[in-house]
Amino acid sequence: MPRSRINENFIDKTFSIVANILLRIIPTTSGEKEAFTYYRDGVMSAQSEGNYAEALQNYYEAMRLEIDPYDRSYILYNIGLIHTSNGEHTKALEYYFRALERNPFLPQAFNNMAVICHYRGEQAIRQGDSEIAEAWFNQAAEYWKQAIALTPGNYIEAQNWLKITGRFE
């Protein structure tokens, strides 16, 4: 039974019902419908239950089927989220970059890239390498500026960090 049919969360059930109705009434090809089903199942298993292996399988299958670059960007972004959650930051950055190549208007991808760079900067400080830390912090600042430019009212903590560290222009 597909994962989307066994979710017990009310919001997930509501989302699944609405998505199924939309899939029936919106004119799409069977491949697009199938790709969306895998995407939906990936989101449900990754975000609702933390079953990242199953979510990745669903996302990879959705990538195989989906041809729209905009839709693919969200699949790639979600794959990046899973790698971030698993501490695989290099892989996560790769998938965020790939998502942004297809859709440069994903502030959440820029934000997540900034968070990873900031984390690496903090690691470099703990290891006593202030020069490397500064490079990571500067990269984080650039990504946060891009996220903020896309959604000026969001990422308040990042805006404060940019101001406090003198990186906000």
Side-chain angles (χ1 to χ4, degrees):
M1 176 178 286
R3 173 160 304 284
S4 58
R5 296 210 179 135
I6 60 174
N7 282 317
E8 295 180 16
N9 180 299
F10 173 76
I11 294 171
D12 292 343
K13 283 183 178 180
T14 303
F15 173 78
S16 292
I17 291 167
V18 171
N20 286 335
I21 291 169
L22 289 174
L23 282 175
R24 285 189 209 127
I25 62 174
I26 295 175
T28 57
T29 67
S30 62
E32 290 169 323
K33 288 179 183 178
E34 188 177 5
F36 178 77
T37 300
Y38 280 106
Y39 174 77
R40 180 190 60 207
D41 289 350
V43 169
M44 295 299 182
S45 59
Q47 293 178 350
S48 297
E49 299 174 18
N51 187 342
Y52 298 134
E54 182 178 342
L56 283 173
Q57 288 175 342
N58 284 313
Y59 289 140
Y60 293 143
E61 187 62 21
M63 283 297 293
R64 189 182 69 76
L65 297 166
E66 183 58 64
I67 58 172
D68 181 72
Y70 182 81
D71 292 340
R72 290 173 68 86
S73 73
Y74 282 94
I75 298 166
L76 291 164
Y77 169 77
N78 281 305
I79 293 171
L81 281 177
I82 291 172
H83 289 300
T84 300
S85 295
N86 289 337
E88 299 169 327
H89 295 150
T90 302
K91 278 186 177 180
L93 287 171
E94 176 189 331
Y95 280 97
Y96 294 140
F97 277 121
R98 291 175 62 191
L100 288 165
E101 286 174 346
R102 288 154 181 83
N103 178 5
F105 302 104
L106 278 174
Q108 61 270 40
F110 285 116
N111 177 64
N112 291 357
M113 291 165 59
V115 169
I116 290 170
C117 291
H118 187 271
Y119 172 76
R120 287 184 170 178
E122 288 177 337
Q123 284 182 313
I125 285 176
R126 282 192 292 276
Q127 294 171 354
D129 196 336
S130 60
E131 190 174 315
I132 295 294
E134 192 65 20
W136 280 117
F137 289 143
N138 287 336
Q139 187 62 62
E142 291 308 310
Y143 291 141
W144 268 322
K145 288 178 193 175
Q146 290 178 285
I148 292 164
L150 291 171
T151 55
N154 291 346
Y155 310 115
I156 301 302
E157 288 182 34
Q159 289 180 42
N160 289 337
W161 179 82
L162 289 168
K163 289 175 187 172
I164 290 168
T165 62
R167 291 179 169 90
F168 200 76
E169 297 171 358

Short mmCIF file of all heavy atoms in Angstrom, two decimals, residues 102-136:
data_model
loop_
_atom_site.label_atom_id
_atom_site.label_comp_id
_atom_site.label_asym_id
_atom_site.label_seq_id
_atom_site.Cartn_x
_atom_site.Cartn_y
_atom_site.Cartn_z
N ARG A 102 17.77 24.99 -11.43
CA ARG A 102 16.48 24.84 -12.09
C ARG A 102 15.47 25.89 -11.64
O ARG A 102 14.52 26.18 -12.34
CB ARG A 102 15.93 23.44 -11.83
CG ARG A 102 16.70 22.37 -12.59
CD ARG A 102 16.62 21.02 -11.91
NE ARG A 102 17.38 20.03 -12.65
CZ ARG A 102 18.69 19.84 -12.54
NH1 ARG A 102 19.40 20.59 -11.74
NH2 ARG A 102 19.31 18.90 -13.23
N ASN A 103 15.67 26.42 -10.44
CA ASN A 103 14.75 27.40 -9.88
C ASN A 103 15.54 28.33 -8.96
O ASN A 103 15.72 28.02 -7.78
CB ASN A 103 13.62 26.69 -9.11
CG ASN A 103 12.65 27.66 -8.48
OD1 ASN A 103 12.74 28.87 -8.67
ND2 ASN A 103 11.72 27.13 -7.71
N PRO A 104 16.02 29.46 -9.47
CA PRO A 104 16.85 30.36 -8.65
C PRO A 104 16.05 31.14 -7.60
O PRO A 104 16.61 31.99 -6.92
CB PRO A 104 17.48 31.29 -9.68
CG PRO A 104 16.55 31.28 -10.83
CD PRO A 104 15.92 29.90 -10.85
N PHE A 105 14.77 30.85 -7.47
CA PHE A 105 13.91 31.57 -6.52
C PHE A 105 13.50 30.68 -5.35
O PHE A 105 12.34 30.67 -4.94
CB PHE A 105 12.68 32.12 -7.24
CG PHE A 105 13.05 33.04 -8.37
CD1 PHE A 105 12.96 32.60 -9.68
CD2 PHE A 105 13.51 34.32 -8.12
CE1 PHE A 105 13.32 33.43 -10.73
CE2 PHE A 105 13.87 35.16 -9.16
CZ PHE A 105 13.78 34.71 -10.48
N LEU A 106 14.45 29.93 -4.82
CA LEU A 106 14.22 29.05 -3.66
C LEU A 106 15.00 29.61 -2.47
O LEU A 106 16.11 29.15 -2.18
CB LEU A 106 14.70 27.63 -3.95
CG LEU A 106 13.81 26.70 -4.72
CD1 LEU A 106 14.52 25.39 -5.04
CD2 LEU A 106 12.53 26.42 -3.97
N PRO A 107 14.42 30.59 -1.76
CA PRO A 107 15.18 31.16 -0.65
C PRO A 107 15.54 30.14 0.41
O PRO A 107 16.59 30.24 1.06
CB PRO A 107 14.22 32.23 -0.09
CG PRO A 107 12.87 31.83 -0.56
CD PRO A 107 13.08 31.14 -1.87
N GLN A 108 14.70 29.11 0.58
CA GLN A 108 14.99 28.10 1.58
C GLN A 108 16.25 27.31 1.24
O GLN A 108 16.97 26.87 2.14
CB GLN A 108 13.78 27.18 1.81
CG GLN A 108 13.32 26.42 0.61
CD GLN A 108 12.27 27.12 -0.25
OE1 GLN A 108 12.34 28.33 -0.47
NE2 GLN A 108 11.31 26.36 -0.75
N ALA A 109 16.55 27.16 -0.04
CA ALA A 109 17.80 26.48 -0.43
C ALA A 109 18.99 27.36 -0.08
O ALA A 109 19.99 26.87 0.47
CB ALA A 109 17.78 26.13 -1.92
N PHE A 110 18.90 28.66 -0.39
CA PHE A 110 19.99 29.57 -0.02
C PHE A 110 20.19 29.58 1.50
O PHE A 110 21.32 29.57 1.99
CB PHE A 110 19.70 30.99 -0.51
CG PHE A 110 19.89 31.19 -1.98
CD1 PHE A 110 18.82 31.51 -2.79
CD2 PHE A 110 21.14 31.06 -2.57
CE1 PHE A 110 18.99 31.70 -4.16
CE2 PHE A 110 21.33 31.24 -3.94
CZ PHE A 110 20.24 31.58 -4.73
N ASN A 111 19.08 29.61 2.24
CA ASN A 111 19.18 29.61 3.70
C ASN A 111 19.86 28.35 4.20
O ASN A 111 20.76 28.42 5.06
CB ASN A 111 17.78 29.73 4.33
CG ASN A 111 17.84 29.67 5.83
OD1 ASN A 111 18.42 30.54 6.48
ND2 ASN A 111 17.25 28.63 6.40
N ASN A 112 19.47 27.19 3.69
CA ASN A 112 20.07 25.94 4.16
C ASN A 112 21.54 25.86 3.81
O ASN A 112 22.35 25.34 4.59
CB ASN A 112 19.31 24.75 3.61
CG ASN A 112 17.92 24.63 4.20
OD1 ASN A 112 17.53 25.39 5.08
ND2 ASN A 112 17.16 23.67 3.72
N MET A 113 21.91 26.38 2.64
CA MET A 113 23.32 26.42 2.27
C MET A 113 24.09 27.33 3.23
O MET A 113 25.21 26.99 3.65
CB MET A 113 23.46 26.89 0.81
CG MET A 113 22.93 25.86 -0.18
SD MET A 113 22.65 26.49 -1.85
CE MET A 113 24.27 27.04 -2.29
N ALA A 114 23.48 28.46 3.59
CA ALA A 114 24.12 29.38 4.54
C ALA A 114 24.30 28.72 5.90
O ALA A 114 25.36 28.87 6.53
CB ALA A 114 23.29 30.66 4.66
N VAL A 115 23.29 28.01 6.34
CA VAL A 115 23.37 27.33 7.64
C VAL A 115 24.52 26.32 7.64
O VAL A 115 25.29 26.24 8.61
CB VAL A 115 22.02 26.65 7.99
CG1 VAL A 115 22.17 25.71 9.19
CG2 VAL A 115 20.95 27.70 8.26
N ILE A 116 24.66 25.58 6.57
CA ILE A 116 25.76 24.61 6.48
C ILE A 116 27.11 25.32 6.50
O ILE A 116 28.03 24.92 7.22
CB ILE A 116 25.60 23.72 5.21
CG1 ILE A 116 24.41 22.78 5.37
CG2 ILE A 116 26.90 22.94 4.94
CD1 ILE A 116 24.02 22.05 4.10
N CYS A 117 27.23 26.40 5.73
CA CYS A 117 28.49 27.14 5.71
C CYS A 117 28.80 27.74 7.08
O CYS A 117 29.96 27.72 7.53
CB CYS A 117 28.44 28.24 4.65
SG CYS A 117 28.41 27.61 2.96
N HIS A 118 27.79 28.28 7.74
CA HIS A 118 27.99 28.83 9.08
C HIS A 118 28.45 27.73 10.05
O HIS A 118 29.38 27.94 10.85
CB HIS A 118 26.69 29.49 9.57
CG HIS A 118 26.84 30.22 10.85
ND1 HIS A 118 26.68 29.61 12.08
CD2 HIS A 118 27.17 31.50 11.10
CE1 HIS A 118 26.89 30.50 13.03
NE2 HIS A 118 27.19 31.66 12.47
N TYR A 119 27.82 26.58 9.96
CA TYR A 119 28.20 25.44 10.80
C TYR A 119 29.66 25.07 10.56
O TYR A 119 30.43 24.83 11.50
CB TYR A 119 27.28 24.26 10.52
CG TYR A 119 27.69 22.98 11.20
CD1 TYR A 119 27.47 22.78 12.57
CD2 TYR A 119 28.31 21.96 10.48
CE1 TYR A 119 27.87 21.60 13.20
CE2 TYR A 119 28.70 20.78 11.10
CZ TYR A 119 28.48 20.61 12.45
OH TYR A 119 28.87 19.45 13.07
N ARG A 120 30.06 25.03 9.29
CA ARG A 120 31.45 24.69 8.98
C ARG A 120 32.41 25.76 9.49
O ARG A 120 33.54 25.45 9.90
CB ARG A 120 31.62 24.47 7.48
CG ARG A 120 31.00 23.16 7.04
CD ARG A 120 31.23 22.89 5.58
NE ARG A 120 30.84 21.53 5.25
CZ ARG A 120 30.90 21.04 4.03
NH1 ARG A 120 31.34 21.78 3.03
NH2 ARG A 120 30.55 19.80 3.80
N GLY A 121 31.96 27.02 9.46
CA GLY A 121 32.77 28.09 10.04
C GLY A 121 32.97 27.90 11.53
O GLY A 121 34.08 28.08 12.06
N GLU A 122 31.91 27.51 12.22
CA GLU A 122 32.01 27.25 13.66
C GLU A 122 32.94 26.07 13.93
O GLU A 122 33.71 26.09 14.91
CB GLU A 122 30.63 27.00 14.25
CG GLU A 122 29.78 28.24 14.33
CD GLU A 122 28.39 27.97 14.86
OE1 GLU A 122 27.90 26.82 14.77
OE2 GLU A 122 27.79 28.93 15.37
N GLN A 123 32.87 25.05 13.08
CA GLN A 123 33.78 23.91 13.24
C GLN A 123 35.23 24.35 13.08
O GLN A 123 36.10 23.90 13.83
CB GLN A 123 33.46 22.83 12.20
CG GLN A 123 32.24 22.00 12.49
CD GLN A 123 32.06 20.92 11.43
OE1 GLN A 123 32.16 21.19 10.23
NE2 GLN A 123 31.79 19.71 11.89
N ALA A 124 35.48 25.21 12.11
CA ALA A 124 36.84 25.69 11.86
C ALA A 124 37.36 26.49 13.07
O ALA A 124 38.53 26.37 13.43
CB ALA A 124 36.88 26.53 10.60
N ILE A 125 36.49 27.26 13.68
CA ILE A 125 36.89 28.00 14.89
C ILE A 125 37.29 27.03 15.99
O ILE A 125 38.33 27.21 16.65
CB ILE A 125 35.76 28.94 15.36
CG1 ILE A 125 35.69 30.15 14.44
CG2 ILE A 125 35.98 29.39 16.81
CD1 ILE A 125 34.55 31.10 14.74
N ARG A 126 36.47 26.00 16.19
CA ARG A 126 36.79 25.00 17.24
C ARG A 126 38.12 24.30 16.96
O ARG A 126 38.79 23.85 17.89
CB ARG A 126 35.66 23.98 17.36
CG ARG A 126 34.45 24.52 18.13
CD ARG A 126 33.47 23.44 18.50
NE ARG A 126 32.78 22.84 17.36
CZ ARG A 126 31.70 23.36 16.79
NH1 ARG A 126 31.17 24.48 17.23
NH2 ARG A 126 31.13 22.75 15.77
N GLN A 127 38.47 24.21 15.68
CA GLN A 127 39.74 23.57 15.32
C GLN A 127 40.89 24.56 15.29
O GLN A 127 42.02 24.20 14.97
CB GLN A 127 39.59 22.88 13.95
CG GLN A 127 38.62 21.73 13.96
CD GLN A 127 38.31 21.20 12.56
OE1 GLN A 127 38.75 21.75 11.56
NE2 GLN A 127 37.52 20.13 12.51
N GLY A 128 40.59 25.83 15.60
CA GLY A 128 41.63 26.85 15.68
C GLY A 128 42.03 27.45 14.36
O GLY A 128 43.09 28.07 14.26
N ASP A 129 41.22 27.30 13.33
CA ASP A 129 41.57 27.83 12.01
C ASP A 129 40.65 29.01 11.67
O ASP A 129 39.63 28.87 10.99
CB ASP A 129 41.43 26.73 10.95
CG ASP A 129 42.14 27.09 9.66
OD1 ASP A 129 42.33 28.30 9.40
OD2 ASP A 129 42.48 26.16 8.91
N SER A 130 41.05 30.19 12.15
CA SER A 130 40.21 31.38 11.97
C SER A 130 40.12 31.83 10.51
O SER A 130 39.11 32.41 10.10
CB SER A 130 40.70 32.52 12.85
OG SER A 130 42.03 32.85 12.53
N GLU A 131 41.16 31.58 9.73
CA GLU A 131 41.14 31.97 8.32
C GLU A 131 40.09 31.17 7.55
O GLU A 131 39.30 31.73 6.77
CB GLU A 131 42.53 31.78 7.71
CG GLU A 131 42.68 32.38 6.32
CD GLU A 131 44.11 32.27 5.83
OE1 GLU A 131 45.04 32.57 6.61
OE2 GLU A 131 44.28 31.90 4.65
N ILE A 132 40.07 29.87 7.75
CA ILE A 132 39.06 29.02 7.10
C ILE A 132 37.68 29.38 7.62
O ILE A 132 36.71 29.44 6.86
CB ILE A 132 39.38 27.52 7.35
CG1 ILE A 132 40.69 27.12 6.68
CG2 ILE A 132 38.24 26.63 6.87
CD1 ILE A 132 40.69 27.17 5.17
N ALA A 133 37.56 29.63 8.92
CA ALA A 133 36.27 30.01 9.50
C ALA A 133 35.73 31.27 8.84
O ALA A 133 34.54 31.33 8.48
CB ALA A 133 36.41 30.22 11.00
N GLU A 134 36.59 32.24 8.68
CA GLU A 134 36.16 33.50 8.05
C GLU A 134 35.66 33.27 6.63
O GLU A 134 34.65 33.87 6.20
CB GLU A 134 37.32 34.51 8.07
CG GLU A 134 36.93 35.92 7.72
CD GLU A 134 35.98 36.56 8.71
OE1 GLU A 134 35.88 36.11 9.87
OE2 GLU A 134 35.30 37.52 8.32
N ALA A 135 36.32 32.40 5.88
CA ALA A 135 35.88 32.09 4.52
C ALA A 135 34.50 31.44 4.53
O ALA A 135 33.63 31.79 3.71
CB ALA A 135 36.90 31.18 3.83
N TRP A 136 34.28 30.50 5.45
CA TRP A 136 32.96 29.86 5.56
C TRP A 136 31.89 30.88 5.97
O TRP A 136 30.78 30.87 5.43
CB TRP A 136 33.00 28.69 6.54
CG TRP A 136 33.57 27.43 5.97
CD1 TRP A 136 34.71 26.80 6.38
CD2 TRP A 136 33.05 26.65 4.89
NE1 TRP A 136 34.93 25.67 5.62
CE2 TRP A 136 33.92 25.55 4.70
CE3 TRP A 136 31.93 26.76 4.07
CZ2 TRP A 136 33.70 24.58 3.73
CZ3 TRP A 136 31.71 25.80 3.09
CH2 TRP A 136 32.59 24.73 2.93
#
